[in-house]
Amino acid sequence: MNRRMAAVNILEDREALAQWVAENRRAGRSVGFVPTMGALHAGHVSLFQTARQECDRVIGSIFVNPTQFGPNEDFQRYPRTLEADRILLEGAGCDALFLPAVDLIYPPGHQTVVRVGAVAEGLCGACRPGHFQGVATVVAILFNRVAPQRAYFGLKDYQQFLVIRQMVRDLGLAVAVVGLPTVREADGLAMSSRNRYLTPADRHQSLALYRAMTAAQAVYADGQRDPTRLEETAREVLTGAGIDRIDYVAVRDRETLAPLTRIETDPVLLLAVHVGVARLIDNRILQSEL
Ligand code: PAF
């Protein structure tokens, strides 16, 4: 059978995963890991495909992590599409899929959390208290169980990527954290599991995120280096499209996410807005030369 269409080995319990990990270790195979919450799309597929190219074995996980959702967020209605996900993974070169139940990740009596400092505190960290603590904790637990050499994350969740990279550095974890470019629809909308929440009118309105980033990029390429002016340019596009719930529009240092008074190296522009019932995020590294 063509290996890329081989059935995905579903691992639901601790022992099955431990055995898979041990077999690969004994055979000296490198393992690439793609942690997800399911509702997979082309952005996830690109992570699996890159892992496939770079590692001997590829494992994904699907776990809708309760600790990274706030009390009024979408944990209950987060899309759960396991059968479609499994089919998609078969075509994406995934060897094994870890599908833990909540009490495998957080056994009764669980007390330990991972809290990353400054890089996790502003932006989504400020708008979604506890979110990055939930993300860092679950990713640390998953890394510990899966023991991958490399782990793959989409740069659409730019702050999440920096938070995980920081955690890995600070805890001295032996895993390379790889960030891969955002995959977009033909019209520029970043792929996201939450795009399923958009009505046709919302979908149309959500294109303003891409336009806002493009407008800021154009002004930046023309020489504008005042972060506030760049943020205003993006914000005007969003409000002009009728988006009135804006969590943030921020131009930040691309490595630390620290606020900037003067721009000396190309920064990152980050956006978080609400469109209909969906909270959408996106970002773009502004480039002085395209
Ligand atoms: O990006 C996600 O899907 C999640 O935040 C992650 C990294 C799988 C942790 O639950």
Side-chain angles (χ1 to χ4, degrees):
M1 191 193 311
N2 178 343
R3 202 181 126 59
R4 292 177 58 79
M5 288 305 290
V8 177
N9 191 354
I10 306 281
L11 309 169
E12 286 182 289
D13 57 60
R14 195 183 313 243
E15 294 70 30
L17 176 67
Q19 197 181 336
W20 189 88
V21 169
E23 267 170 30
N24 286 311
R25 187 171 298 152
R26 261 196 307 276
R29 295 184 196 117
S30 63
V31 169
F33 178 37
V34 184
T36 81
M37 298 204 301
L40 303 180
H41 50 69
H44 295 108
V45 171
S46 83
L47 304 181
F48 281 96
Q49 286 173 335
T50 304
R52 176 80 277 154
Q53 285 160 14
E54 297 182 350
C55 305
D56 298 323
R57 290 290 180 272
V58 177
I59 182 166
S61 62
I62 296 182
F63 179 65
V64 185
N65 174 34
T67 66
Q68 70 186 75
F69 291 81
N72 299 316
E73 294 185 353
D74 55 344
F75 174 68
Q76 293 301 341
R77 69 185 154 93
Y78 196 83
R80 287 155 171 94
T81 59
L82 183 57
E83 191 46 27
D85 292 348
R86 198 185 54 72
I87 292 166
L88 192 133
L89 290 179
E90 284 180 4
C94 176
D95 298 302
L97 178 62
F98 182 40
L99 277 180
V102 173
D103 64 358
L104 199 164
I105 298 295
Y106 303 115
H110 172 94
Q111 303 186 11
T112 303
V113 295
V114 179
R115 191 178 62 76
V116 177
V119 74
E121 279 161 11
L123 306 170
C124 284
C127 300
R128 305 182 66 190
H131 171 66
F132 286 123
Q133 178 172 304
V135 170
T137 301
V138 77
V139 172
I141 294 168
L142 290 167
F143 280 179
N144 201 35
R145 295 231 173 266
V146 175
Q149 278 68 52
R150 299 172 74 74
Y152 296 83
F153 297 88
L155 289 175
K156 184 181 81 71
D157 297 297
Y158 191 81
Q159 188 176 14
Q160 168 173 282
F161 170 75
L162 294 184
V163 167
I164 291 167
R165 193 178 70 173
Q166 188 69 42
M167 172 190 77
V168 164
R169 283 181 186 161
D170 292 349
L171 298 181
L173 304 183
V175 53
V177 179
V178 182
L180 294 179
T182 303
V183 177
R184 298 182 180 280
E185 304 280 2
D187 57 11
L189 181 67
M191 300 256 180
S192 165
S193 306
R194 290 188 167 99
N195 290 352
R196 292 162 202 249
Y197 299 151
L198 301 171
T199 65
D202 297 339
R203 175 72 182 71
H204 181 70
Q205 194 177 42
S206 66
L207 289 179
L209 279 87
Y210 188 68
R211 285 205 310 276
M213 296 190 301
T214 309
Q217 168 60 50
V219 174
Y220 185 73
D222 276 352
Q224 178 58 261
R225 292 294 179 273
D226 177 348
T228 308
R229 283 297 311 140
L230 292 163
E231 289 165 4
E232 279 167 9
T233 300
R235 192 175 274 273
E236 277 161 18
V237 176
L238 296 172
T239 52
I243 296 180
D244 49 11
R245 291 184 64 203
I246 299 178
D247 281 354
Y248 57 78
V249 174
V251 172
R252 297 291 177 94
D253 180 277
R254 66 201 249 188
E255 294 297 325
T256 63
L257 299 184
L260 297 166
T261 41
R262 288 183 41 206
I263 296 178
E264 276 159 15
T265 50
D266 288 347
V268 58
L269 167 67
L270 304 111
L271 312 176
V273 306
H274 296 260
V275 175
V277 299
R279 182 176 185 275
L280 303 178
I281 58 173
D282 207 341
N283 67 82
R284 176 168 182 159
I285 306 281
L286 299 180
Q287 289 170 287
S288 27
E289 283 167 36
L290 281 180

